[in-house]
Amino acid sequence: MQTGESKIRNPKSKIAPAPLLVVGAVAFDSVRTPYGEAKNILGGAATYFAVTASWFTPVRVVAVVGDDLGEEHLRVFQERGIDTAGLVRSPGKTFRWSGEYSGNMNEARTLETQLNVFEQFSPALPASYLDTEFVFLGNIDPVLQLHVRRQLPRARLTGLDSMNYWIKGKPEELKKALAEIDILMINETEARLLSGISNLKKATEFIRKMGPPTVVIKRGEHGVMLFSEGGIFSAPAFPLDQVHDPTGAGDSFAGGFMGYLAKAGELSDTHLRRAVIYGSVMASYAVEEFGLARLLRLTPKEIEARYRAFKALTHFDV
Amino acid sequence: MQTGESKIRNPKSKIAPAPLLVVGAVAFDSVRTPYGEAKNILGGAATYFAVTASWFTPVRVVAVVGDDLGEEHLRVFQERGIDTAGLVRSPGKTFRWSGEYSGNMNEARTLETQLNVFEQFSPALPASYLDTEFVFLGNIDPVLQLHVRRQLPRARLTGLDSMNYWIKGKPEELKKALAEIDILMINETEARLLSGISNLKKATEFIRKMGPPTVVIKRGEHGVMLFSEGGIFSAPAFPLDQVHDPTGAGDSFAGGFMGYLAKAGELSDTHLRRAVIYGSVMASYAVEEFGLARLLRLTPKEIEARYRAFKALTHFDV
């Protein structure tokens, strides 16, 4: 820790960190794990991202919700200071997902997906968002991702999440989006599918030539790898006694990663590596309890303590 | 790197590092991978271990070989300064293994195992070995492991490798051996099987109570985790462009790990962590070519260069 400089957002600070825009899903999740069950709790990639990023920088959210999203849910965003001007309400029900985790809890088994209002999602940005410099394009149709990106002429750092469904279904559209972003976040299987190369080092070299100078490979319980101009950086996941609910781990990683970068304001190798660790810190807290519970009652002290614990976990002398 | 101190064995040094004894299999391997094929090449866990450890400290090997092991094979040991007084020749053929790797090359598919002379292996130690202080009990019957351990009253650091076969087949014998060793090296699945606990952190806590204060979990392409008094240390595998032959990666890790510790002569947390990295360095070189080829023509400079590359791979600022 550099003395006197906190990585965590200080609401009383007079130097405002840059706002970070996220577009993606706000949803209601029903989740079953060996540790219990939760029904119709507030979730969705954009929600997890926004809540975690809000610990580092002001967040603007773009999403569509139904008329079943009540005051109590909006309050979750408001209490974290998240700007909800871009939260569009449509008649109908909010996106709903239900799934269960078993065994080593590495992957969810989806029981049901109801797209509902999300099916017609066409993100329109409020005028107050148009000066955004830090952007995260959550895992949605690459056509919509590009549509959002092009409404933001002042964007100087854009991250993008995608998945097999779009890599297979809209490869040309995804390629166009990749050419206009700075950071791609995907998992190992997706990197292999996107590049057609099985060796991860070669696959990410190939992908970086498609556009994004930085590629972040999420490996779940095996941590994260960062491929960028500064070389390769590898970070483990934090070993936990209990993982109660893995839902939102990847989105919480992305929120911590992008939130820290927006706070830092620059993209040096040093900051990118720190961002990977802050992302991993947030993901490790996210899975300790069901839904957003643990993320909502974090403290800056806890975030810094786990960052230092990551150092203790990985340090060796040369 | 502490200035002026080399971690690699210097044959001209007057301070002799402590000899390290390994007991296990010397074998002939036939291996097929997507990169090619090798037939009846010198291999076996004890061979890989001895060759890698010999880069750090003098090595003594205990194994049984058949009359098909010729001068050219013995020379491999001799040229690395490995003491072969404990290499017993029995009438018959040497242990033979053939297997192939495909896909992500994480696991070998065994095509054939011929135990041959290994079937009657009952390790008897030459008198010149009885003062050994550093010991590695390779993956053999725990009854034999304990038999070797008990012939070494001056042993002050004993590592042990095991596998599902012994955990399931000789649990009581393995427990007895575990009570008399310092370091256990197994993989994740084996740790879960041995402890009956699925969470890795809890599983290793349980195993440490069975005897070994230090447990090393080998995770293949996902690296290594060390659980010891000093807490948890996590190290990634080195990202390579090409893995030509994964055979012997785990044994090369063990050789580098134990070899470095024998050279260091003490078991502090600092040395244990360094040992994990040296083990990982040796494993990363081992898989670059078929069989022992890359390990035999290493240089101390290359070993140190990759150690530093591991630092670059994992370092982040606090």
Side-chain angles (χ1 to χ4, degrees):
Chain A
M1 201 59 50
Q2 288 174 11
T3 319
E5 185 209 350
S6 174
K7 307 306 181 304
I8 308 308
R9 179 183 176 201
N10 176 0
K12 286 172 197 154
S13 164
K14 277 168 194 165
I15 310 158
L20 168 60
L21 181 151
V22 57
V23 57
V26 168
F28 287 115
D29 293 339
S30 294
V31 183
R32 203 184 303 149
T33 84
Y35 292 94
E37 196 169 3
K39 283 197 171 167
N40 300 317
I41 54 172
L42 184 61
T47 309
Y48 277 100
F49 183 98
V51 167
T52 46
S54 72
W55 286 98
F56 298 87
T57 204
V59 178
R60 297 166 169 176
V61 64
V62 178
V64 60
V65 296
D67 37 36
D68 51 355
L69 192 107
E71 274 310 310
E72 71 277 26
H73 306 120
L74 274 180
R75 216 174 297 129
V76 171
F77 294 94
Q78 286 154 0
E79 280 174 5
R80 291 296 318 144
I82 297 161
D83 188 338
T84 54
L87 213 58
V88 175
R89 198 182 288 273
S90 280
K93 281 169 81 182
T94 301
F95 181 25
R96 283 173 193 258
W97 175 82
S98 71
E100 67 177 358
Y101 299 85
S102 54
N104 68 2
M105 306 228 282
N106 265 344
E107 222 168 324
R109 192 165 75 89
T110 292
L111 299 172
E112 196 187 7
T113 302
Q114 293 178 18
L115 288 179
N116 300 330
V117 296
F118 197 70
E119 206 156 2
Q120 303 299 326
F121 184 38
S122 172
L125 307 191
S128 60
Y129 282 16
L130 299 182
D131 62 348
T132 307
E133 297 178 18
F134 293 87
V135 181
F136 190 70
L137 306 170
N139 185 359
I140 57 175
D141 188 328
V143 174
L144 299 182
Q145 290 178 319
L146 203 52
H147 175 65
V148 170
R149 174 65 188 78
R150 289 188 173 162
Q151 291 174 66
L152 299 166
R154 293 177 59 184
R156 57 189 183 99
L157 178 68
T158 305
L160 183 146
D161 185 13
S162 195
M163 68 190 296
N164 283 0
Y165 182 78
W166 306 117
I167 297 172
K168 283 184 205 162
K170 301 214 172 173
E172 290 315 313
E173 293 82 351
L174 181 58
K175 267 177 208 165
K176 268 186 212 156
L178 290 183
E180 301 195 19
I181 61 156
D182 306 285
I183 301 174
L184 173 65
M185 281 186 217
I186 47 177
N187 69 31
E188 283 176 279
T189 313
E190 289 155 0
R192 291 184 175 119
L193 184 67
L194 179 60
S195 63
I197 299 170
S198 132
N199 178 281
L200 198 60
K201 204 177 152 193
K202 287 185 181 169
T204 50
E205 274 164 25
F206 183 91
I207 293 168
R208 291 178 62 219
K209 284 182 192 146
M210 296 170 81
T214 299
V215 176
V216 175
I217 303 290
K218 298 180 286 184
R219 304 195 296 169
E221 59 163 344
H222 296 299
V224 171
M225 288 182 84
L226 171 81
F227 297 81
S228 67
E229 243 173 77
I232 309 179
F233 174 57
S234 188
F238 195 74
L240 293 167
D241 276 329
Q242 289 181 345
V243 172
H244 279 196
D245 173 14
T247 312
D251 307 313
S252 302
F253 170 84
F257 178 87
M258 291 293 300
Y260 172 77
L261 287 178
K263 167 81 157 63
E266 53 158 317
L267 208 62
S268 66
D269 187 49
T270 299
H271 282 310
L272 276 172
R273 287 172 179 238
R274 278 186 183 158
V276 166
I277 301 300
Y278 277 110
S280 305
V281 164
M282 302 310 275
S284 76
Y285 277 123
V287 302
E288 284 187 357
E289 294 177 23
F290 276 82
L292 298 162
R294 188 69 184 94
L295 294 173
L296 290 174
R297 60 172 176 71
L298 274 175
T299 66
K301 225 179 192 169
E302 285 175 325
I303 296 172
E304 292 304 349
R306 188 151 293 174
Y307 187 97
R308 287 191 303 272
F310 262 97
K311 192 68 195 174
L313 177 67
T314 56
H315 177 76
F316 61 91
D317 288 341
V318 282
Chain B
M1 200 62 47
Q2 289 174 11
T3 319
E5 184 208 351
S6 173
K7 307 307 182 301
I8 308 307
R9 180 184 176 198
N10 176 358
K12 286 172 199 152
S13 165
K14 278 170 194 164
I15 309 158
L20 167 60
L21 181 151
V22 56
V23 56
V26 168
F28 287 116
D29 293 340
S30 294
V31 183
R32 202 185 305 149
T33 85
Y35 292 94
E37 195 168 3
K39 283 196 172 167
N40 299 318
I41 54 173
L42 184 61
T47 308
Y48 278 100
F49 182 99
V51 168
T52 46
S54 72
W55 286 97
F56 298 88
T57 204
V59 177
R60 296 166 169 177
V61 65
V62 178
V64 62
V65 296
D67 37 36
D68 51 355
L69 192 107
E71 274 309 311
E72 72 276 27
H73 306 118
L74 275 179
R75 217 174 296 128
V76 171
F77 294 95
Q78 286 154 0
E79 281 175 4
R80 290 297 317 146
I82 296 162
D83 188 338
T84 54
L87 213 57
V88 175
R89 197 181 288 273
S90 279
K93 281 170 79 181
T94 299
F95 180 26
R96 283 174 193 257
W97 175 82
S98 72
E100 68 177 358
Y101 300 84
S102 55
N104 66 2
M105 306 226 283
N106 265 343
E107 222 168 324
R109 193 165 76 89
T110 292
L111 299 171
E112 196 187 8
T113 302
Q114 294 178 17
L115 289 178
N116 299 330
V117 296
F118 197 69
E119 205 155 3
Q120 304 299 327
F121 184 37
S122 172
L125 307 192
S128 60
Y129 281 16
L130 300 182
D131 62 348
T132 308
E133 297 179 17
F134 294 87
V135 181
F136 189 69
L137 307 170
N139 186 0
I140 56 174
D141 188 327
V143 173
L144 299 182
Q145 290 177 317
L146 203 51
H147 176 65
V148 170
R149 175 63 188 80
R150 288 187 173 163
Q151 292 174 66
L152 299 166
R154 292 177 60 184
R156 58 191 183 98
L157 177 68
T158 305
L160 182 145
D161 185 12
S162 195
M163 70 189 295
N164 284 358
Y165 183 77
W166 306 118
I167 297 171
K168 284 184 201 157
K170 301 213 173 173
E172 290 314 313
E173 293 82 350
L174 181 58
K175 268 177 208 164
K176 269 186 213 156
L178 290 183
E180 301 194 21
I181 62 155
D182 305 286
I183 300 175
L184 174 65
M185 281 187 218
I186 47 177
N187 69 30
E188 284 177 280
T189 313
E190 290 156 359
R192 292 185 174 118
L193 184 67
L194 179 59
S195 63
I197 299 170
S198 134
N199 179 279
L200 199 59
K201 203 177 154 194
K202 288 184 181 170
T204 50
E205 275 164 22
F206 183 91
I207 293 168
R208 291 178 62 219
K209 284 182 191 144
M210 296 170 82
T214 299
V215 175
V216 176
I217 303 291
K218 297 180 286 185
R219 304 193 297 169
E221 59 163 345
H222 296 299
V224 171
M225 289 182 83
L226 170 82
F227 297 80
S228 66
E229 243 173 75
I232 308 178
F233 174 56
S234 187
F238 195 73
L240 293 168
D241 275 331
Q242 288 182 344
V243 171
H244 279 197
D245 174 13
T247 312
D251 307 313
S252 302
F253 171 85
F257 178 87
M258 291 292 301
Y260 171 76
L261 287 178
K263 167 82 157 63
E266 51 158 317
L267 207 62
S268 66
D269 186 49
T270 299
H271 283 309
L272 276 172
R273 287 172 179 237
R274 278 185 183 159
V276 166
I277 301 300
Y278 277 109
S280 305
V281 164
M282 301 310 276
S284 76
Y285 277 123
V287 302
E288 284 187 356
E289 293 177 23
F290 276 81
L292 298 162
R294 189 68 183 95
L295 294 173
L296 289 174
R297 60 171 177 74
L298 273 175
T299 66
K301 225 178 191 171
E302 286 176 324
I303 296 173
E304 292 303 348
R306 188 151 292 175
Y307 188 97
R308 287 190 303 271
F310 262 96
K311 192 68 195 175
L313 177 66
T314 56
H315 177 76
F316 60 92
D317 286 342
V318 282

